[in-house]
Amino acid sequence: MVSTVDLNTVAGLSEQEAIALLKHDGYNELPSARSSNLLSIAWNIVQDPIFLLLVGGGVIYWILGDLQESLILLGFVFFITGISLYQEGKTEHALEALRDLSSPRALVIRDGQRKRIAGREVVRGDILVLAEGDRVPADAIVLSCTNLSTDESLLTGESLPVRKVAAVVRGEMEMARPGGDELPFVYSGTLVVQGNLIAQVQAIGTQTEMGKIGNALQKVKPEPTPLQQEMTRLVRNLFGIALLLCVAIVVIYGLTRGDWLKGFLAGITLAMAILPNEFPVVVTIFLALGAWRISQKHVLARRASAVETLGSATVLCVDKTGTLTLNQMAVQQLCPYNAQPYDLGLHSPESLPEAVHELVEFCILASQRDPFDPMEKAFKQLGDRYLAHTEHLHNDWILLREYPLSPHLLAMSHVWQSADGKQYEIAAKGAPEAIADLCHFTPQQQKILAAQISEMANQGLRVLGVAKASLLGAPLQFLPPHPSLNPHDLPDEQHDFPFQFLGLVGLSDPVRPNVAAAIKECYTAGIRVVMITGDYPGTAQTIARQIGLMQMGAILTGAELDRMSDAELQQRIQSTNIFARAVPEQKLRLVNALKSKGEVVAMTGDGVNDAPALKSAQIGIAMGQRGTDVARESAALVLLDDDFSSIVEAVKLGRRIFDNLRKAMAYLLAIHIPIAGMSLIPVLFKLPLVLLPVHVAFLHLIIDPACSIVLEAEPAEATVMKRPPRNPKEPLFGRRTLGRAVLQGVGILVIVLVIFVVALYRRQGELDARALTFTTLILANLGLILSESSSSRLSLKILKSPNAALWWVIGGGLFFLLFVLYIPFLRHLFSFSFLHAIDLAICVGGGAISLLWFEQLKLLNRPQRVIQSKSGKPI
């Protein structure tokens, strides 16, 4: 097999072959921590404090000889275990979906077509197509490459990249160990730092060099987020208080009433009432399901902390191409040197004038034969359409050498040899300034060119320059006589060729249709949008007008940015929303400047050079389609469809997730107050016990799904994108939220305590008092769920709520309450008396008063009206 491969002639494996190999060899992945199975989830539930307390209560009732009470408590064990299994299973399903999404992607050729698949689905024999910035998904032999270097430090410890060459394959080749230059092998986990390649996979999974070393890609337990750390501290403190109270209750009950077993039951009841075991569980479930919900909007959250931070973003820094636009380039204008421009949109599409043929010809020669870049695709489509039957298409020419783009010269060149070996042409394309430099333009020529570029850029066009150099009949001093030209005899730099300027090409890239609405939504939400582009100021300004991006002050260019000190930049960045002619390395300065002004920055990027900025930004967003693996690994989020509106949707979801999490935590705190109060007060005042373990277990059947299923699934508030971003330093339990939760809980406690005391005062008996109190507590609890489901005032619109779980929990709670009140067997187990219509009316009244109390408290917590400046920033 020859050392160079034409992608047009490579068919790769068929899908049937790939499926068979995948079934035989397994997935291309290393052994990792198994996802939780049913038994491991069940074991975690067994260790839960509520589970242990229920079992303990059941055992004590058994010892007391109360078999029925014991069996119903143990029955609740199974009910709560079932709910926990459902919740854990839902969370695990979300995590598994995220694992599949986060699998590194690989571009392969199958059935002659390029196809992007999950890296774990790569099989032996697959043809890989890799470019600069990609991570190699498997050990492979290089079939063809251009200026290829890889970073193998992961395997060898050597920090310097190593050069690679294409292999001349004769039969089977054995993979050599990594390390050293000029090897035709690339290895799983290593990084392509320069060039591009086509390679054939030789080993996957545990058979790769990385697999043999066995020290990488193990699933690492994620570090706790700041929110989880806050919950850990809260739970630790509450657990200590709860334990002391429980011991005190046991001792007080035993000493004052002489019944130590019932004292233990009272202690267990209080422990079940106030132990904060749901808090960390709810945080974990919300973050896992939140990440999964965000992935449904084409945004992959690689770190849970990003879910927390999203709602507090104040600035979105975005690329233009592919994010604000469709990245579907089309050639719109051709401007031959010293000739009139030709606009394809204004002329008949049947043919091109002869004057532009050479310009199109060398655009194509300066591009890849089978292009992946959108601009090069546009050139190829133009040539296929208009030059297919002319002498200007050279599909049989041989590419001798490629000079890639470099940070010092934004131009690339291809050296071609004609099919008969007698003609040599060099085609160059790139930034017009770089092409003008290659052609040694005089200052006067540069001035004329700049005016033409500015005119095209003001039309919103992406402008490229094109040049050619011909060696036919005029061999250069560094070249041997033709036709025996050796590629190694060519110069090291493009500047050594005698380039002739051919003209300019203007490409248009349509704006995404939903971007304007998304930009407007950002401004309404108090989020500033900053555009960073490599295009000219005129192009950037045109696109900004089309999408409704507000321009604050003058546009700042990359060259002006380089001349500024950090202090000057921090001053200018407050009044600049558009940065043009910027290079990726400058993004880091922009991020740091914005952060120094107290902004919470979300930054998009796709290249290797974007990685530092993505890592520095509070929310790094990598492009999923055109982004490199390095960018994706440095980012907290991956934009799977490269669409700006998906970022805005993710911000909206981030706000919703945090809002719902706050509702759930406030609900948990509020409902535990009356439960704990009604467990503690009767003991302290020598009154009959109201709540027994069976009653608290019943309450948990409502509380657990309410906080982790109902409130998690609540849709976003109508005002979620009409208020400024939250302060990232703001705790989950702010003073206002904490105060409202406490007032809600105290309100319920006062109402049920009044009903309990009045019932005892009227000598209705212990069973009557308990039934009235417990029924009122259940109704107040359901009212609290209903009230917490909306931050705004409740209205009849709640009946149209899309959250089906809300009605299942409320309906289920009422259904089972009626069961335990009016089925004699259950009523006896719960130690209730029969409630008449007047009794139910009293309980419903107490629940209604509770709901009115919750709604009045919302007035105290009403958010302030947001006033915005012209920039979209809240004042």
Side-chain angles (χ1 to χ4, degrees):
M1 190 179 288
V2 295
S3 60
T4 58
V5 174
D6 186 352
L7 276 178
N8 293 318
T9 65
V10 177
L13 298 174
S14 68
E15 281 297 332
Q16 289 75 17
E17 289 173 324
I19 291 170
L21 283 166
L22 189 63
K23 188 175 181 180
H24 181 269
D25 296 339
Y27 285 108
N28 175 36
E29 56 189 4
L30 299 182
S32 59
R34 292 182 180 178
S35 59
S36 301
N37 55 32
L38 194 65
L39 287 177
S40 63
I41 294 174
W43 175 245
N44 289 332
I45 294 169
V46 167
Q47 300 175 72
D48 187 272
I50 292 295
F51 184 96
L52 297 174
L53 288 168
L54 282 171
V55 172
V59 170
I60 291 176
Y61 275 118
W62 192 294
I63 293 171
L64 289 173
D66 194 339
L67 185 60
Q68 287 183 336
E69 193 78 23
S70 176
L71 288 176
I72 197 168
L73 272 186
L74 295 176
F76 274 117
V77 168
F78 290 104
F79 273 113
I80 291 179
T81 300
I83 289 175
S84 300
L85 283 173
Y86 172 76
Q87 292 171 184
E88 289 283 348
K90 191 175 178 182
T91 303
E92 190 62 35
H93 173 75
L95 291 172
E96 192 60 41
L98 291 178
R99 288 189 197 107
D100 290 341
L101 280 172
S102 60
S103 171
R105 316 304 282 176
L107 186 63
V108 299
I109 299 176
R110 289 185 181 171
D111 293 317
Q113 300 293 323
R114 290 188 181 199
K115 183 179 181 182
R116 195 169 290 278
I117 62 173
R120 66 195 297 264
E121 295 175 5
V122 168
V123 298
R124 287 183 300 110
D126 258 331
I127 302 298
L128 301 174
V129 181
L130 299 168
E132 181 178 318
D134 288 341
R135 197 166 289 282
V136 181
D139 287 6
I141 293 177
V142 180
L143 304 182
S144 177
C145 64
T146 304
N147 297 327
L148 179 60
S149 296
T150 63
D151 177 3
E152 296 181 350
S153 57
L154 184 69
L155 299 174
T156 65
E158 293 294 331
S159 58
L160 293 176
V162 292
R163 294 188 306 277
K164 298 291 180 180
V165 296
V168 179
V169 183
R170 293 183 178 86
E172 292 293 326
M173 285 188 67
E174 186 176 344
M175 294 283 296
R177 298 297 301 274
D181 290 318
E182 311 298 331
L183 286 176
F185 308 111
V186 289
Y187 302 93
S188 175
T190 61
L191 180 69
V192 180
V193 295
Q194 184 179 4
N196 51 64
L197 71 145
I198 304 168
Q200 187 173 37
V201 175
Q202 299 296 303
I204 62 169
T206 56
Q207 301 304 312
T208 63
E209 288 297 320
M210 181 179 287
K212 292 172 185 175
I213 295 172
N215 66 344
L217 296 186
Q218 292 287 337
K219 284 192 174 77
V220 180
K221 188 176 180 180
E223 293 183 4
T225 67
L227 183 59
Q228 288 169 322
Q229 291 172 357
E230 181 185 343
M231 283 302 100
T232 301
R233 288 193 298 270
L234 178 65
V235 169
R236 188 172 56 241
N237 295 337
L238 289 178
F239 190 86
I241 295 170
L243 189 62
L244 288 174
L245 282 174
C246 293
V247 172
I249 287 298
V250 172
V251 173
I252 292 170
Y253 198 100
L255 291 176
T256 58
R257 306 192 189 189
D259 193 337
W260 288 94
L261 276 177
K262 286 195 174 180
F264 275 110
L265 282 175
I268 287 173
T269 303
L270 183 61
M272 291 174 66
I274 62 177
L275 277 181
N277 59 300
E278 299 106 329
F279 284 69
V281 173
V282 167
V283 171
T284 303
I285 289 174
F286 267 69
L287 292 181
L289 292 180
W292 176 76
R293 288 188 187 280
I294 287 174
S295 74
Q296 304 306 295
K297 298 296 183 181
H298 309 292
V299 180
L300 172 63
R302 296 186 65 251
R303 290 191 285 274
S305 57
V307 179
E308 295 178 42
T309 315
L310 265 173
S312 54
T314 60
V315 177
L316 294 181
C317 296
V318 294
D319 293 314
K320 177 185 75 67
T321 304
T323 308
L324 300 176
T325 62
L326 289 169
N327 201 22
Q328 295 174 356
M329 290 286 185
V331 177
Q332 182 173 324
Q333 204 169 99
L334 298 166
C335 300
Y337 189 47
N338 290 330
Q340 289 298 315
Y342 180 84
D343 195 311
L344 276 76
L346 301 177
H347 295 82
S348 170
E350 295 177 2
S351 62
L352 288 176
E354 185 66 33
V356 301
H357 280 191
E358 188 178 40
L359 182 58
V360 176
E361 173 188 357
F362 278 86
C363 279
I364 297 168
L365 288 174
S367 305
Q368 299 294 330
R369 263 219 171 104
D370 187 17
F372 192 67
D373 180 82
M375 287 187 292
E376 294 189 347
K377 279 185 177 180
F379 298 145
K380 187 175 189 300
Q381 289 167 2
L382 186 67
D384 290 344
R385 185 173 183 180
Y386 296 115
L387 305 181
H389 304 293
T390 70
E391 73 278 9
H392 296 286
L393 276 189
H394 309 288
N395 293 327
D396 56 350
W397 281 22
I398 301 167
L399 179 63
L400 295 180
R401 182 166 176 179
E402 178 181 353
Y403 294 86
L405 288 165
S406 70
H408 309 293
L409 185 66
L410 297 177
M412 62 181 297
S413 299
H414 285 172
V415 181
W416 295 92
Q417 182 184 32
S418 63
D420 59 10
K422 296 180 180 179
Q423 186 178 353
Y424 298 90
E425 299 284 352
I426 299 95
K429 74 173 184 345
E433 302 97 328
I435 298 298
D437 183 30
L438 287 176
C439 297
H440 306 289
F441 267 27
T442 64
Q444 182 63 26
Q445 288 175 309
Q446 289 177 355
K447 186 177 179 181
I448 295 170
L449 183 66
Q452 194 172 13
I453 293 168
S454 179
E455 184 179 344
M456 294 175 70
N458 287 337
Q459 299 173 43
L461 300 178
R462 179 77 179 269
V463 186
L464 291 180
V466 183
K468 74 167 187 176
S470 178
L471 305 184
L472 180 61
L476 301 179
Q477 59 182 0
F478 50 78
L479 296 177
H482 302 311
S484 57
L485 180 60
N486 189 321
H488 294 291
D489 295 326
L490 290 167
D492 293 330
E493 296 185 2
Q494 300 177 67
H495 273 291
D496 294 327
F497 291 108
F499 280 112
Q500 172 190 347
F501 191 78
L502 293 180
L504 300 173
V505 179
L507 298 105
S508 61
D509 184 8
V511 170
R512 289 183 182 269
N514 47 7
V515 165
I519 295 276
K520 185 178 180 181
E521 193 169 18
C522 284
Y523 290 143
T524 305
I527 302 171
R528 176 182 166 195
V529 181
V530 174
M531 185 205 301
I532 304 171
T533 177
D535 276 341
Y536 288 91
T539 305
Q541 201 165 32
T542 301
I543 295 295
R545 280 197 299 268
Q546 292 178 22
I547 63 176
L549 180 69
M550 296 179 183
Q551 184 178 340
M552 298 165 53
I555 295 175
L556 195 61
T557 66
E560 293 169 331
L561 193 63
D562 283 337
R563 293 194 292 269
M564 284 184 179
S565 66
D566 289 341
E568 289 175 315
L569 177 59
Q570 289 173 18
Q571 187 65 32
R572 282 289 300 275
I573 206 164
Q574 291 180 285
S575 58
T576 305
N577 274 2
I578 302 174
F579 296 85
R581 303 305 282 166
V583 295
E585 289 85 349
Q586 293 171 331
K587 286 185 178 181
L588 181 61
R589 281 196 72 195
L590 294 174
V591 169
N592 290 336
L594 287 165
K595 285 170 66 178
S596 70
K597 305 305 292 185
E599 305 282 7
V600 178
V601 184
M603 164 70 75
T604 66
D606 55 10
V608 177
N609 293 338
D610 291 330
L614 293 174
K615 219 165 192 178
S616 178
Q618 288 97 332
I619 309 167
I621 305 172
M623 300 296 105
Q625 293 183 345
R626 71 179 193 276
T628 61
D629 283 346
V630 177
R632 286 191 282 268
E633 288 174 15
S634 301
L637 300 175
V638 178
L639 197 59
L640 299 178
D641 60 358
D642 294 6
D643 189 345
F644 174 78
S645 61
S646 295
I647 303 175
V648 181
E649 282 296 318
V651 170
K652 186 176 181 178
L653 270 173
R655 291 188 176 191
R656 167 194 159 179
I657 290 162
F658 194 86
D659 285 353
N660 288 349
L661 180 58
R662 178 173 279 167
K663 290 176 188 176
M665 304 306 276
Y667 164 75
L668 280 175
L669 181 63
I671 197 58
H672 275 76
I673 290 173
I675 298 174
M678 293 310 295
S679 301
L680 185 62
I681 292 172
V683 175
L684 295 179
F685 292 94
K686 295 185 179 181
L687 298 172
L689 293 181
V690 179
L691 298 178
L692 302 174
V694 66
H695 302 123
V696 180
F698 183 93
L699 281 163
H700 272 280
L701 289 179
I702 299 175
I703 293 170
D704 289 348
C707 60
S708 58
I709 297 175
V710 175
L711 294 177
E712 190 281 329
E714 272 300 305
E717 299 284 344
T719 58
V720 72
M721 293 296 279
K722 296 179 181 178
R723 61 175 189 250
R726 69 176 180 86
N727 187 338
K729 296 180 180 178
E730 178 186 350
L732 185 64
F733 280 123
R735 208 176 304 172
R736 181 176 294 179
T737 304
L738 185 63
R740 187 168 70 123
V742 170
L743 287 173
Q744 285 173 332
V746 169
I748 299 174
L749 177 59
V750 169
I751 291 167
V752 295
L753 187 60
V754 166
I755 288 177
F756 176 64
V757 172
V758 169
L760 290 178
Y761 179 77
R762 295 180 59 205
R763 302 182 185 277
Q764 287 182 256
E766 180 181 332
L767 300 186
D768 255 11
R770 181 179 291 119
L772 284 165
T773 305
F774 183 77
T775 303
T776 306
L777 181 56
I778 291 291
L779 294 175
N781 182 21
L782 296 177
L784 181 60
I785 296 170
L786 198 63
S787 180
E788 282 294 337
S789 65
S790 174
S791 297
S792 56
R793 301 297 300 277
L794 275 179
S795 67
L796 291 177
K797 290 181 180 178
I798 193 70
L799 297 175
K800 298 181 180 180
S801 172
N803 187 0
L806 173 66
W807 302 115
W808 276 106
V809 169
I810 291 178
L814 291 173
F815 181 76
F816 285 112
L817 177 62
L818 292 174
F819 258 50
V820 299
L821 287 176
Y822 294 108
I823 293 180
F825 171 71
L826 293 176
R827 187 168 66 242
H828 176 67
L829 287 178
F830 275 74
S831 302
F832 290 159
S833 65
F834 185 89
L835 290 187
H836 297 88
I838 185 64
D839 299 320
L840 280 179
I842 291 170
C843 297
V844 171
I849 293 170
S850 299
L851 185 58
L852 290 173
W853 171 242
F854 306 147
E855 292 301 295
Q856 286 304 309
L857 288 175
K858 286 181 182 178
L859 292 174
L860 303 176
N861 205 45
R862 180 180 289 175
Q864 296 177 351
R865 186 182 175 187
V866 180
I867 303 174
Q868 294 174 338
S869 66
K870 291 181 180 179
S871 68
K873 292 280 289 178
I875 298 175

